[in-house]
Amino acid sequence: MHTRNIHRQGYDFKQLVSVYPALSNHIVITQRGQQSIDFSNQTAVITLNQALLKLHYGIDFWTVPSPFLCPPIPGRVDYIHHLAEFLETQPDFSSHEKVKGLDIGTGASAIYPILGLKCYNWQFVGSDINKEAIKLAKQWSEFNSLGLKFRHQPNSEMMFDNIIKPGEQFTFTICNPPFHASAQEAQAGTERKWRNLKGKTQSNLNFGGHAPELWCEGGELKFIKNMITQSQQYSEQVNWFTSLVSKSDNLKSLEKHAKELGVAKWEVVAMEQGSKQSRFVAWNW
């Protein structure tokens, strides 16, 4: 993980329980004699996230109701820290206080805006095609006095239209795109993950997520290509467009598409979370 990531050394369950006692109901002892939780239990995972957000980020009111995706906070904040370091290397960067981000597909958790605000005091707008997700995201902002803004995207084919207002400026956009190309692929991938974890199957899943969060036609490759294409129209209003890319095999095709459209700068920022290799791409015009 990024050197700034407070979760690099794992979870301090003693501290977490001290600020969020409800977590004590979900503590288990592993075969190595260490404290953990049952990551196949949805309630346990949400409670862990609530404790993490309260202890490390000062968030008192937050949850993710079914069927929305429950995000793994250490991985999400890693994207934030890597993006912050990336912005700091740019010649026009002056201060995090002046940074404003747009989260495409913010979800009911609004996790990127929350973490970006708490880690770097970034301003944020979050967008989503799901009205209920936007309603919940607004609640977390209001309950915790965060001052974040959220906008509903009425057109599922559009990423920036209807969201970026005339004359509005953003330092960056951020996105965790749908990974899979179909519902069947999403289910198969999830079941493989949980068999590796603990022999669990689909009926035991905890992180949840519904169709728009998990899959779209063409998967992340088509989704990000569409994002690159649509971003050109907003090249004067956004300094950097970014997106996670889960499959490294997609990088060459994405770069080729970007260069064919005339993207001026294309960067790939590598990230690691344990044994997992990840990355995000960044481009501008």
Side-chain angles (χ1 to χ4, degrees):
M1 292 185 179
H2 196 281
T3 54
R4 299 177 191 174
N5 195 328
I6 199 170
H7 309 293
R8 291 179 70 217
Q9 304 304 320
Y11 303 126
D12 186 331
F13 284 100
K14 183 177 181 180
Q15 273 196 310
L16 289 167
V17 169
S18 71
V19 299
Y20 206 79
L23 182 61
S24 63
N25 298 322
H26 302 286
I27 300 295
V28 298
I29 304 300
T30 68
Q31 292 181 345
R32 296 182 178 182
Q34 299 173 328
Q35 288 187 323
S36 184
I37 66 164
D38 181 357
F39 282 94
S40 67
N41 183 312
Q42 182 180 19
T43 302
V45 172
I46 291 175
T47 306
L48 172 61
N49 275 6
Q50 290 169 328
L52 289 168
L53 287 171
K54 185 172 180 63
L55 175 63
H56 298 296
Y57 306 102
I59 299 297
D60 292 319
F61 302 100
W62 182 92
T63 191
V64 180
S66 179
F68 295 105
L69 188 67
C70 182
I73 290 174
R76 296 297 190 265
V77 79
D78 221 48
Y79 187 177
I80 293 292
H81 288 308
H82 279 279
L83 178 55
E85 185 177 48
F86 174 78
L87 294 175
E88 291 163 4
T89 65
Q90 304 308 312
D92 58 349
F93 179 82
S94 59
S95 168
H96 284 293
E97 299 289 330
K98 299 180 179 180
V99 170
K100 182 178 180 180
L102 170 60
D103 180 19
I104 304 297
T106 195
S109 70
I111 198 64
Y112 285 127
I114 289 172
L115 295 174
L117 172 68
K118 287 297 181 176
C119 291
Y120 294 100
N121 203 29
W122 291 344
Q123 299 178 57
F124 252 104
V125 172
S127 70
D128 204 282
I129 62 174
N130 188 298
K131 288 184 177 180
E132 183 64 20
I134 291 296
K135 178 182 176 181
L136 291 166
K138 288 180 176 178
Q139 287 182 358
W140 312 146
S141 179
E142 292 169 2
F143 290 165
N144 295 284
S145 302
L146 302 178
L148 300 167
K149 297 179 181 180
F150 298 95
R151 299 170 186 169
H152 176 241
Q153 171 57 272
N155 188 336
S156 62
E157 300 299 319
M158 296 293 107
M159 300 179 192
F160 308 108
D161 286 5
N162 308 311
I163 301 299
I164 298 180
K165 298 178 179 180
E168 191 171 27
Q169 296 292 322
F170 288 94
T171 310
F172 66 85
T173 67
I174 191 170
C175 183
N176 183 10
F179 179 71
H180 299 287
S182 68
Q184 293 77 14
E185 182 182 312
Q187 180 174 337
T190 306
E191 289 180 349
R192 282 196 302 272
K193 179 179 72 173
W194 289 103
R195 281 197 300 270
N196 291 338
L197 176 65
K198 200 177 177 182
K200 300 293 182 178
T201 59
Q202 179 70 18
S203 61
N204 303 100
L205 301 185
N206 65 359
F207 289 104
H210 61 304
E213 295 178 306
L214 300 178
W215 69 272
C216 65
E217 183 181 351
E220 72 169 11
L221 180 60
K222 183 176 179 180
F223 187 96
I224 300 172
K225 281 186 174 181
N226 288 341
M227 182 182 294
I228 295 170
T229 301
Q230 294 179 30
S231 70
Q232 187 168 15
Q233 184 179 344
Y234 296 89
S235 60
E236 298 297 321
Q237 293 180 260
V238 179
N239 291 1
W240 286 98
F241 300 89
T242 81
S243 176
L244 282 177
V245 180
S246 296
K247 297 180 180 179
S248 60
D249 291 345
N250 289 334
L251 289 174
K252 287 185 178 180
S253 180
L254 290 171
E255 182 176 8
K256 180 181 178 182
H257 179 71
K259 294 298 176 63
E260 287 176 347
L261 291 176
V263 161
K265 295 182 180 178
W266 176 266
E267 303 283 347
V268 179
V269 178
M271 301 185 291
E272 293 183 14
Q273 289 112 41
S275 60
K276 179 183 177 182
Q277 305 291 316
S278 185
R279 77 288 305 159
F280 70 84
V281 292
W283 69 93
N284 65 25
W285 300 86

